[in-house]
Amino acid sequence: DADVTQTPRNRITKTGKRIMLECSQTKGHDRMYWYRQDPGLGLRLIYYSFDVKDINKGEISDGYSVSRQAQAKFSLSLESAIPNQTALYFCATSDDRLAGRLRSSYNEQFFGPGTRLTVL
Amino acid sequence: AQKITQTQPGMFVQEKEAVTLDCTYDTSDPSYGLFWYKQPSSGEMIFLIYQGSYDQQNATEGRYSLNFQKARKSANLVISASQLGDSAMYFCAMREASGSARQLTFGSGTQLTVLP
């Protein structure tokens, strides 16, 4: 089973609808992230969470909200979807108990498989 | 200013040849890490290689090596003996130690196509 899962994998919705994207991880990591990928722009950070009680805005949080229901679950919501939110969304996790060293032979961030969201 | 710049939107390489994908970065933090990820057409992000700012030697992972030139602030990915399965989008990313989010800042990517 994958360590980081995202549901749904694909979603087509209409303008104005509320959408929730879910992310679950079995890695036991403390930190979770939501990124958005648009063609030609790489990935940009939407929200991040250090633990269940710590939620922070990223670079492009407008129009989005998140919920960290448990250490293993981090959901992203679009309260009223608009067409320019059509993108590929990634959830990622990291174990920052080792962060101070910034040395690693391990994956610094583990990414989920992505959710393709289309807003019509 | 862009923190990560990838100037090659697309690259072509013949199978079995080596290819270098360029990445330059901008930071004033003395402690940072540089990452390369591969994104095949299926969409998942696959970690390839990591270089820490204090690492004395260039990182290598199998056919992947990172040409780290700290003074030039460049971290180019070298893929040796290209294979057809290497065709994908490649992203360079940086994480600064001072950043509170600990997030990765990504470049815009390079689409690599390996020709048979």
Side-chain angles (χ1 to χ4, degrees), chain A residues 43-60:
Chain A
L43 277 70
R44 293 179 292 166
L45 183 67
I46 306 173
Y47 269 95
Y48 61 100
S49 169
F50 290 176
D51 62 37
V52 174
K53 297 181 180 179
D54 192 343
I55 305 289
N56 301 277
K57 292 182 177 181
E59 178 187 353
I60 53 165

Side-chain angles (χ1 to χ4, degrees), chain B residues 30-79:
Chain B
S31 180
Y32 53 89
L34 296 157
F35 303 79
W36 277 91
Y37 284 85
K38 173 184 178 181
Q39 186 180 42
S41 58
S42 51
E44 71 268 32
M45 296 291 286
I46 302 168
F47 167 76
L48 294 178
I49 195 166
Y50 166 84
Q51 180 85 43
S53 59
Y54 294 119
D55 291 344
Q56 295 298 310
Q57 294 188 331
N58 287 344
T60 60
E61 290 284 351
R63 294 185 300 111
Y64 304 107
S65 61
L66 203 152
N67 184 2
F68 181 46
Q69 298 187 40
K70 196 170 181 177
R72 293 186 174 186
K73 293 188 175 179
S74 74
N76 299 337
L77 177 70
V78 181
I79 305 174

Side-chain angles (χ1 to χ4, degrees), chain A residues 31 33 35 37 40-43 45 48 50 88 90 96 99 102-104 106-109 111 113 116, chain B residues 31-33 35 37 39 41 43-45 47 50 52 55 91 95 97 100-104 106-108:
Chain A
R31 300 195 176 197
Y33 309 79
Y35 290 91
Q37 184 181 17
L41 292 179
L43 277 70
L45 183 67
Y48 61 100
F50 290 176
L88 182 57
F90 285 100
D96 273 21
L102 261 191
R103 294 185 58 83
S104 82
Y106 60 92
N107 290 355
E108 182 75 12
Q109 287 193 7
F111 283 83
R116 290 193 181 276
Chain B
S31 180
Y32 53 89
F35 303 79
Y37 284 85
Q39 186 180 42
S41 58
E44 71 268 32
M45 296 291 286
F47 167 76
Y50 166 84
D55 291 344
F91 290 99
R95 179 174 138 165
S100 60
R102 302 280 192 191
Q103 86 267 22
L104 295 171
F106 286 83
S108 56

Side-chain angles (χ1 to χ4, degrees), chain A residues 72-89:
Chain A
K73 295 184 182 296
F74 193 35
S75 300
L76 176 72
S77 293
L78 289 68
E79 295 300 326
S80 180
I82 56 176
N84 76 2
Q85 291 177 313
T86 294
L88 182 57
Y89 290 84

